Amino acid sequence: MQFVNIVKPTHICNLDCTYCYNDDVRDPVMRAETLRRTVEQTFAYVRGHGSMSAAEFIWHGGEPTVAGLPFFETAVALQRELSDGVAWQNSIQTNGVLLDDRWISFLAREQFSLSISLDGPEHINDRYRVTHRGGGSFARVFKAVARAREAGLPFGVCMVLSRATAPHVDEIYDFFSQHQLPFNVIPMTRSGAARDRFEDIGLDADEYAQAWTRMYDRWLESGDGGHYVYVQDFALKTRAIASGKAADCIGLANCSHFNVSTDPVGDVYPCASLSGNAAMCYGNLNTHSLAALLDTPLARSLKHRAVDPQCAQCKWQHVCHGGCASRAYKFHGDADQRDRYCPGLFQIYEHIDRRLRERKVPSGLRHPQHMSDGIDGETYRALAGPPPTRAQASRRVIPLRAA
């Protein structure tokens, strides 16, 4: 497997989206020495673990392009200098507002994967994806889409299921299909700007499943003569059901083996969405090696996520494993609990299974090593380390507010 470091050059953003998940209001841009240390330690961790095949850097935020093009030129130069035989790849998640021709040329030349946040056509996108003055973002973002396409840069878009998008999933699918925009679908989480307004703009588990499965059916049936477009979440969850093991990060038994997130000051967290929650910080890369941080009691507790009794009896445990640990923490204050969207995920997996069986495609047998994410026992134990006591594993939600 690849080791993924979701790097946040800054928490600053040039948009003010209603549902923004970011909990960290600190506003530095990553310093040169922290950037170097991040790249160096990511490669060092992969080299030290034979089960890791490569490193993936996902540049996230905030809005990562706010850090400036020279920052990313330096990052790529450091990767070439410090990789020492480790393969790597770069992805960037951006709102697209700053992507001019210079940015697009750089991303194409350096073979970045590009994902642009977009919730569909203008009147839907601009409900929640707005500027700091309350204006819509669609026009500027769609110009970036056009630039990327003209340059031949492979890209996709990421849309959020919310009360603004769920009633319009057919229109959104038609829009992405018409413009041949591969996309991903994610639900909201209760954090950041969405914490106090989630009940007004978020979906419950059933609503999430209803919108997801409606769009899934459009996608599945498009192969029968409709307008097909690749949808990452649909493809991965279908692969999981067909193969008998998780195919996306939220379905892994323990995603913490393969993922970290580094914030602008070098603090390391298990996931990008947990950045800014002090109780979930492993420590700082500037003072500790990444290997040492991933061997702290907190890190080891997350690598030994408890199995919920209901999950242990669930027919889809082998592809779900309680869902997203980060969302469980955001909603319940405890990563050992089930994902808040658990009932919706069950409906989704049932729906995929039913639709595949209609097409004479049986579900895959439960993978015998699904609890170790397909890794052999000895390698898995080396990655996980000894489990801590549950007292060491206790956690609370504490959003950072200090400068």
Side-chain angles (χ1 to χ4, degrees):
M1 282 194 173
Q2 291 192 140
F3 181 74
V4 178
N5 194 340
I6 306 170
V7 185
K8 298 191 171 191
T10 182
H11 289 299
I12 300 169
C13 189
N14 49 357
L15 293 184
D16 190 23
C17 297
T18 307
Y19 53 57
C20 181
Y21 75 93
N22 185 28
D23 265 325
D24 199 330
V25 298
R26 298 173 298 172
D27 61 0
V29 173
M30 184 178 283
R31 297 173 61 173
E33 55 267 33
T34 302
L35 174 59
R36 182 180 185 89
R37 180 73 173 169
T38 300
V39 173
E40 175 192 49
Q41 282 300 303
T42 302
F43 285 134
Y45 189 78
V46 173
R47 278 194 298 273
H49 294 79
S51 58
M52 305 292 181
S53 59
E56 180 178 6
F57 297 84
I58 300 178
W59 304 93
H60 211 288
E63 171 49 44
T65 59
V66 168
L69 187 53
F71 176 93
F72 284 88
E73 291 170 335
T74 299
V76 170
L78 287 169
Q79 289 170 332
R80 292 195 175 101
E81 175 190 346
L82 300 170
S83 61
D84 193 21
V86 176
W88 81 90
Q89 66 184 65
N90 287 302
S91 306
I92 186 167
Q93 179 65 49
T94 172
N95 60 39
V97 170
L98 298 179
L99 292 184
D100 58 16
D101 290 338
R102 290 178 63 244
W103 267 106
I104 294 296
S105 176
F106 167 79
L107 296 174
R109 183 175 66 253
E110 300 299 342
Q111 298 182 320
F112 274 63
S113 297
L114 171 63
S115 176
I116 299 175
S117 299
L118 185 69
D119 279 353
E122 185 169 9
H123 69 100
I124 298 173
N125 179 83
D126 288 355
R127 283 279 307 279
Y128 293 160
R129 299 197 58 79
V130 296
T131 68
H132 287 277
R133 294 185 177 181
S137 63
F138 178 88
R140 295 177 69 184
V141 174
F142 214 65
K143 286 181 180 177
V145 168
R147 289 190 182 101
R149 173 157 288 155
E150 184 178 352
L153 175 62
F155 70 95
V157 299
C158 182
M159 62 90 57
V160 176
L161 278 174
S162 67
R163 294 215 178 277
T165 54
H168 306 287
V169 290
D170 282 299
E171 183 179 358
I172 292 168
Y173 186 87
D174 288 339
F175 175 81
F176 288 147
S177 175
Q178 175 190 348
H179 293 281
Q180 280 299 286
L181 295 175
F183 67 100
N184 195 20
V185 181
I186 60 173
M188 282 177 50
T189 191
R190 181 185 280 141
S191 64
R195 176 176 284 107
D196 296 331
R197 58 181 69 147
F198 185 87
E199 300 305 323
D200 296 324
I201 66 176
L203 304 177
D204 64 29
D206 291 336
E207 292 168 329
Y208 163 57
Q210 182 179 8
W212 195 100
T213 53
R214 173 55 190 163
M215 194 175 281
Y216 178 86
D217 286 344
R218 292 292 311 276
W219 172 77
L220 191 68
E221 292 159 7
S222 67
D224 298 329
H227 299 286
Y228 176 82
V229 63
Y230 178 78
V231 186
Q232 182 179 7
D233 201 37
F234 299 165
L236 292 181
K237 283 184 168 54
T238 301
R239 183 193 303 171
I241 297 299
S243 66
K245 63 179 181 179
D248 56 7
C249 69
I250 71 164
L252 292 174
N254 285 291
C255 62
S256 297
H257 293 307
F258 314 105
N259 298 273
V260 295
S261 181
T262 306
D263 81 355
V265 298
D267 287 339
V268 176
Y269 300 84
C271 177
S273 65
L274 293 171
S275 179
N277 287 270
M280 296 298 279
C281 180
Y282 292 159
N284 192 281
L285 265 184
N286 291 304
T287 54
H288 297 82
S289 71
L290 188 53
L293 294 177
L294 283 165
D295 194 39
T296 58
L298 173 60
R300 284 190 281 113
S301 76
L302 292 172
K303 293 178 184 179
H304 292 272
R305 186 183 184 190
V307 177
D308 183 278
Q310 181 171 324
C311 292
Q313 302 299 317
C314 180
K315 66 185 286 190
W316 300 119
Q317 184 203 19
H318 58 294
V319 298
C320 179
H321 300 102
C324 178
S326 172
R327 285 201 299 255
Y329 181 80
K330 287 293 182 109
F331 281 98
H332 308 304
D334 186 357
D336 284 337
Q337 293 197 33
R338 287 177 284 123
D339 189 335
R340 188 254 190 188
Y341 292 106
C342 168
L345 291 170
F346 183 86
Q347 294 175 52
I348 284 169
Y349 293 128
E350 287 280 284
H351 186 82
I352 295 171
D353 178 51
R354 182 168 59 252
R355 294 308 312 270
L356 290 182
R357 289 183 183 276
E358 290 171 2
R359 294 166 180 259
K360 313 301 181 186
V361 179
S363 298
L365 297 175
R366 180 181 292 235
H367 194 284
Q369 294 177 321
H370 73 89
M371 286 303 296
S372 60
D373 297 318
I375 302 172
D376 69 84
E378 184 176 349
T379 301
Y380 184 82
R381 286 189 291 274
L383 280 171
T389 65
R390 300 323 292 174
Q392 290 174 307
S394 64
R395 297 175 287 276
R396 293 189 300 120
V397 179
I398 311 175
L400 288 172
R401 296 298 176 191

